[in-house]
Amino acid sequence: MFESLHIGFIGGGNMGEALIKGLLSASPLLPDQISIYDVSTTRMKYLEATYKIRLSANAADLAASSDVLILAVKPQTMSEVLGGIQAHLSHRPLVISIAAGISLAVLSAGLPEGTPIVRVMPNTPALVLQGASTLARGTHVTDQQMEVALAFFQAVGKAIEVQEQWMDAVTGLSGSGPAYVLLIIESLIDAGVLMGLPRQTARELTLQTLLGTVSMVQETAKHPAALKDLITSPGGTTIRGLQVLEDRGVRGALMEAVEAATLRSRELGRS
């Protein structure tokens, strides 16, 4: 699938690096099949030294030579990037955007008519090849091209195709979700320290508790509420703790956080 493809990355930040790392470790792609352009020369040199990939002098040359072009840039710079490459895509490469909130319509308007475009919402666990990515295809994307796009993101975790109308909600849930989970992890570790545990012990117990709980949900396929009930004995310690969480509105706060991030994603798309 990848043997003859030349992959171009515009943007070499954390997510771009995660995808490069995943593609090289989990697919038959070779380093000389990947080229990158980033506004930071220092960043490009680091990626070249670390992954032995090729560097491009500018975004236009990279676009002109790529079979698959991955736009790993911030939403605020997307307009400038599209303006710089649109005249160099007459060969109609597959264009993949991982910029949060930027719709297929906006991407299509900034690229030549007929360009196949896939919009992707990855998340930061892709850095350790445990990401959750959703992909929405544009009008001109073939099934074979979508297979390629899915395979790219399966190299860094789980990847599924969704309707574009869900992408803002995905951004609010799995895109921003790692930050919510990290806040919970930090809070549980601090709580253990508050109760007298050494910090390293509290950290190890917290991380294993989360890992074990996720595995339990995945492997049993039971509803989280059913598993919660198994842990919650009448008049016991867990129900007392759950009462505090309900009193403090933790469930509602997490739901509101996802809602707020979803609405912000829509704002970014409109702007």
Side-chain angles (χ1 to χ4, degrees):
M1 183 185 295
F2 297 149
E3 288 78 2
S4 61
L5 293 179
H6 181 206
I7 317 301
F9 282 80
I10 298 180
N14 288 336
M15 196 58 67
E17 180 181 0
L19 192 51
I20 291 169
K21 177 182 176 182
L23 288 172
L24 291 176
S25 63
S27 79
L29 268 176
L30 299 174
D32 64 3
Q33 290 179 261
I34 299 176
S35 298
I36 190 165
Y37 170 75
D38 191 277
V39 293
S40 169
T41 303
T42 301
R43 184 66 179 170
M44 283 205 296
K45 288 181 178 178
Y46 158 77
L47 293 169
E48 179 188 35
T50 304
Y51 301 103
K52 313 305 179 189
I53 59 176
R54 297 181 176 182
L55 304 185
S56 288
N58 55 66
D61 289 347
L62 179 63
S65 62
S66 296
D67 300 308
V68 179
L69 184 63
I70 299 174
L71 306 181
V73 299
K74 296 184 182 301
Q76 295 86 343
T77 64
M78 182 60 79
S79 178
E80 179 183 352
V81 169
L82 295 178
I85 65 173
Q86 60 183 343
H88 304 273
L89 299 174
S90 58
H91 59 303
R92 300 295 189 272
L94 173 62
V95 175
I96 299 174
S97 167
I98 63 173
I102 305 299
S103 68
L104 289 170
V106 169
L107 294 166
S108 296
L111 296 172
E113 175 65 29
T115 301
I117 305 167
V118 175
R119 177 185 172 187
V120 184
M121 184 64 238
N123 67 2
T124 51
L127 294 169
V128 291
L129 310 185
Q130 291 292 330
S133 303
T134 54
L135 295 79
R137 71 169 82 188
T139 306
H140 304 287
V141 176
T142 66
D143 288 343
Q144 184 177 11
Q145 288 172 325
M146 196 64 192
E147 255 184 71
V148 169
L150 283 165
F152 280 2
F153 289 89
Q154 286 165 351
V156 293
K158 188 175 183 64
I160 58 175
E161 183 176 358
V162 301
Q163 299 176 33
E164 191 188 15
Q165 67 189 37
W166 297 343
M167 290 296 276
D168 291 317
V170 166
T171 302
L173 178 60
S174 60
S176 300
Y180 315 150
V181 175
L182 289 167
L183 183 62
I184 292 169
I185 291 172
E186 181 186 17
S187 299
L188 288 174
I189 293 171
D190 284 346
V193 173
L194 177 66
M195 292 297 100
L197 293 176
R199 182 164 293 276
Q200 184 58 31
T201 300
R203 174 187 169 88
E204 290 180 17
L205 289 173
T206 296
L207 295 180
Q208 186 56 42
T209 296
L210 266 74
L211 286 170
T213 303
V214 169
S215 295
M216 189 165 59
V217 174
Q218 287 180 324
E219 292 179 19
T220 66
K222 291 185 177 180
H223 193 285
L227 294 171
K228 175 175 64 67
D229 288 347
L230 292 176
I231 306 166
T232 310
S233 302
T237 59
T238 304
I239 191 63
R240 185 62 60 88
L242 287 171
Q243 180 187 22
V244 173
L245 294 177
E246 293 291 359
D247 286 346
R248 299 295 173 87
V250 171
R251 184 196 304 263
L254 287 171
M255 294 174 70
E256 288 181 20
V258 172
E259 180 184 26
T262 299
L263 295 176
R264 178 55 179 156
S265 177
R266 290 174 186 165
E267 289 175 3
L268 287 172
R270 287 195 296 268
S271 62

